[in-house]
């Protein structure tokens, strides 16, 4: 396992195998977080208030027993803290999100990937407004990746996979996210992990194994629901690689989650605070991004997501041009090359 700092690795949506040893967070500490919306900061454009207005964003609900925030003491990251953390940002030559299919020697393939890799590439590109490249599959090897059986499921060690990906990080990769249909675990005291990603090392991995009830021996799940879960976990993990920590401010894609029920409660969308972080890093026009996402949701039958995006677009009172350009981004981050 690579030790990259106390806050560096974030496990996305995972189940703990045992008590984490911390006192449950108090509900009050998680509700009424002082930043209901991004604070006006660098290069604030009033014409985009509609996109970052937090007044109608859903607040973070009081954690239920077993929820992520009931078991993990996370305090959140507002926009000011995000910038102070000096996150990576896409800059040439590292300006492409690489999706890296993974395979394991001797392992039988269990069926078609849902959503398809082509669909994942399409969605991630629209979500992050960056080029996305599907890499040729690489084969994991038991000499480099730990394997165990857990409740009848083969699982690969996600930390080992991240180590392999770090050593092979392509030169054009802003980040590289491995994808597998095999179940993952991060360490011996966790039951599984849907995915994990580094805040700074540009690598992460996620699994599509658990999104269909067929994995647990039940009848196949609604394919639209399986598709939604797959897109949720990949964008959550890639979001971490933009330096976004788990969100405690609103119901948000970047919420941590302990199980599938909790993950299903989180939307596919970023809350205003997390959207602002991504926009500061990438420099997109929020209305154009939402239109691209709406086309995707319409094509693939993700109708609640389509309705949500259309409602946001209805609030866009101004022209599609946001005035937020790469020049503005440079004014915020300076001219220095990526730190890592
Ligand atoms: Zn996460
Ligand atoms: Zn958020």
């Amino acid at each position: 396992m690579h030790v990259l700092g106390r806050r560096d690795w974030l496990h996305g949506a995972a189940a703990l195998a045992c008590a984490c040893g911390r006192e449950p967070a108090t509900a009050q500490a998680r509700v009424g977080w002082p930043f209901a919306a991004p604070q006006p900061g660098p290069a604030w454009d009033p014409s985009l208030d509609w996109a970052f207005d937090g007044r109608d964003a859903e607040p973070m609900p009081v954690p239920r027993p077993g929820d992520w925030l009931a078991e993990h003491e996370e305090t959140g990251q507002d926009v000011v803290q995000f910038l102070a953390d000096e996150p990576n940002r896409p800059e040439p030559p590292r300006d492409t999100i690489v999706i890296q299919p993974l395979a394991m020697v001797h392992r039988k393939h269990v069926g078609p990937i849902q959503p398809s890799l082509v669909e994942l590439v399409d969605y991630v590109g629209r979500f992050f407004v960056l080029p996305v490249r599907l890499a040729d599959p690489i084969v994991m090897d038991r000499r480099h990746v730990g394997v165990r059986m857990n409740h009848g499921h083969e699982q690969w060690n996600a930390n080992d996979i991240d180590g392999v990906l770090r050593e092979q990080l392509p030169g054009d990769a802003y980040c590289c996210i491995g994808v597998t249909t095999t179940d993952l675990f991060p360490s011996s005291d966790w039951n599984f992990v849907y995915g994990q990603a580094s805040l700074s090392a540009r690598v992460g991995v996620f699994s599509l194994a658990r999104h269909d009830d067929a994995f647990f021996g039940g009848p196949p799940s609604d394919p639209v629901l399986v598709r939604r879960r797959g897109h949720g976990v990949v964008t959550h993990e890639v979001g971490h690689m933009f330096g976004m920590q788990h969100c405690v401010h609103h119901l948000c894609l970047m919420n941590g989650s302990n199980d599938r029920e909790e993950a299903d409660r989180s939307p596919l969308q970023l809350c205003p605070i997390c959207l602002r972080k991504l926009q500061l890093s990438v420099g997109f026009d929020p209305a154009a991004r939402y239109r691209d996402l709406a086309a995707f949701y319409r094509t693939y039958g993700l109708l609640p997501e389509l309705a949500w995006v259309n409602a946001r677009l209805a609030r866009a009172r101004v022209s599609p041009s946001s005035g937020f350009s790469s020049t503005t981004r440079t004014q915020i981050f300076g001219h220095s090359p990526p730190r890592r």
Side-chain angles (χ1 to χ4, degrees), residues 36-59:
Q39 298 161 304
W44 184 261
D45 180 351
S47 73
L48 292 181
D49 281 353
W50 67 269
F52 303 113
D53 183 351
R55 283 175 296 182
D56 61 351
E58 289 202 63

Side-chain angles (χ1 to χ4, degrees), residues 100 112 129 134 148-149 243 300:
Q100 176 63 69
V129 200
L134 186 63
R148 75 177 187 185
M149 295 299 293
Y300 290 100

Side-chain angles (χ1 to χ4, degrees), residues 7 10 33 35-39 41-44 48 51-52 74-90 127-130 174 199 236 238-250 252-255 270-284 286 289-290 324 329 332-333:
R7 297 285 310 168
L10 287 177
W33 185 262
F35 304 107
Q39 298 161 304
W44 184 261
L48 292 181
F52 303 113
E74 295 184 336
T75 56
Q77 175 199 47
D78 63 21
V79 174
V80 173
Q81 184 59 51
F82 169 76
L83 293 172
D85 289 343
E86 299 184 14
N88 290 330
R89 60 191 185 277
F127 193 92
F128 291 98
V129 200
L130 283 172
Y174 168 71
L199 292 167
H236 177 102
V238 173
H240 280 322
M241 290 190 278
F242 282 82
M244 289 193 278
Q245 297 184 17
H246 282 151
C247 180
V248 303
H249 312 286
H250 297 288
C252 174
L253 174 75
M254 296 310 297
N255 296 152
L270 297 171
C271 77
I273 293 171
C274 296
L275 182 68
R276 177 64 169 163
K277 295 174 191 175
L278 185 62
Q279 192 228 12
L280 285 168
S281 288
V282 178
F284 52 75
R289 175 177 176 272
Y290 281 146
F324 192 102
R329 186 174 62 145
I332 296 168
F333 285 111

Side-chain angles (χ1 to χ4, degrees), residues 2 15 57 117 122 145 179 189 228 230 234 255 275 282 289 324 339:
H2 298 269
L117 294 176
D122 186 9
V145 177
V179 53
D189 55 343
R228 183 191 187 282
V234 65
N255 296 152
L275 182 68
V282 178
R289 175 177 176 272
F324 192 102
R339 293 183 301 124

